[in-house]
Amino acid sequence: MRNLILNTDSYKTSHFLQYPPGAEYVSSYIESRGGVYPATLFFGLQAFLKEYLSRPIDIVDIEEAESVCLAHGVPFNRSGWEYILRTHQGYLPIEIEAVPEGTLLPTGNVMVQVINTDPQCAWLTSYVETALLRAVWYPTTVATVSRLCRDTIQRYLQETADTTDGLSFKLHDFGSRGVSSEESAALGGAAHLVNFMGTDTLSGILAARRYYSADMAGFSIPAAEHSTITSWGQEGETDAYANMLDQFSGDGRIVAVVSDSWDLWHAIDDIWGGELKARVEQSGGTLVVRPDSGEPTEVVPEAIERLMTHFGYRVNSKGYRVLPDCIRLIQGDGVDAESIEAILAIMKQRELSADNIAFGMGGALLQKLNRDTQKFAMKASAICINGQWHDVYKDPVTDPGKRSKRGRLALIHDDIQGYQTIRADELGTRANQLMTVFRNGKILKEWTFEEVRQRATQG
């Protein structure tokens, strides 16, 4: 799966024969045409550049691609790929411009622009669409969903808590097992970490380290799963919980224990709030109780209020109840952007601070989305034929929403109108927010993970 020539759609292999005679350069762009959210948090391009485009093709790739394509029933541009191998040492002669990663960009704006740099390779720009668009839309959409959740949680903390200091650990990534591949876990996991610092997706940690120079982008804690509790048997439930405290609790330490294996209310009322109450209070750390079943908008507030019955609470400066520091709750079942809002809303109605809870989000964070969530597309917008530039666009009468942009593009920004996409020939002295990040096999601009995070926080 490492052959870049085959990292495309079958029909792309025939396109080198379809452009007008004299075609020298093709310019294409990527945008979110709309979708569920009004803006997207751009992330992930740098990982693709490092993993794929920074490596040259070789004769083995060409031989394999030719064999596959001809047997598959589609043409193969052997002379074109051999030209790239011979003239450019196997590196793709393309230039990529992009907005800085971490930019919160309103939909309908250019975020990436691609053009071939060798007039013999006009066919190459659109050839890379499949791989490049996929590399952009997925992590960008995950980062966008994660950002919406952050905004929601932050708003409720501002309304019901004394501080937002714990915001970065309020949404934990539980999604690794729910995605389609390890690479998806890596890219999606890293995208979530642009907004938060809590994760159980180790692949995301590695992606942030490998592609964005992050020493450690996220953190986790010891936590129980049902098998480590139920293996003690129902009669040993108290012992199972006590073992978790023995192994992992202590001064300044946090441990999470799933507590609904049999009867959540018995676990809260009789075990955590009864037999083990003193140990929890005297541990010097924090026990995080995890319900994992039932209707979240019903289970969460009742669980918190039952914990308050046994452990007490204080009323903060905004009039909302807060559990003592020794105990908290995490909801990791049925969590998505909508349920986070619903849970926090009902907690607020019951005068429970958002301080009491953290969330774990799995499939809804890394998998329950697709290219149409934000209507991502890559389209050609300009072609140079025999030294003359021409606009390229589509404007389907059956769907005006798919109307594409024309000409070489630029992105401008000001404090009044925000971001705007314009034609590059109209840029004048204004600063283009698109930066050249890649040319002919070389990465020209790299972002650290911390830089991406800072930009995202400011957006």
Side-chain angles (χ1 to χ4, degrees), residues 243-317:
N243 180 65
M244 292 297 295
L245 296 178
D246 291 339
Q247 300 293 338
F248 306 113
S249 68
D251 203 29
R253 301 171 71 183
I254 305 172
V255 58
V257 184
V258 62
S259 302
D260 74 325
S261 296
W262 296 283
D263 184 345
L264 174 65
W265 310 127
H266 167 67
I268 291 176
D269 293 335
D270 301 319
I271 302 178
W272 294 125
E275 297 176 77
L276 300 178
K277 177 174 180 287
R279 291 187 59 180
V280 171
E281 292 176 326
Q282 295 166 15
S283 71
T286 301
L287 166 70
V288 182
V289 175
R290 177 161 72 94
D292 199 49
S293 53
E295 169 53 48
T297 55
E298 297 172 2
V299 172
V300 167
E302 181 171 354
I304 292 173
E305 288 179 337
R306 285 189 184 224
L307 289 170
M308 287 179 171
T309 297
H310 299 288
F311 290 91
Y313 63 86
R314 65 181 175 83
V315 178
N316 65 22
S317 64

Side-chain angles (χ1 to χ4, degrees), residues 194-217:
V194 171
N195 302 291
F196 291 94
M197 297 183 72
T199 185
D200 261 33
T201 300
L202 281 169
S203 299
I205 296 292
L206 295 178
R209 178 188 294 258
R210 179 174 300 169
Y211 303 125
Y212 293 89
S213 303
D215 180 44
M216 181 48 61

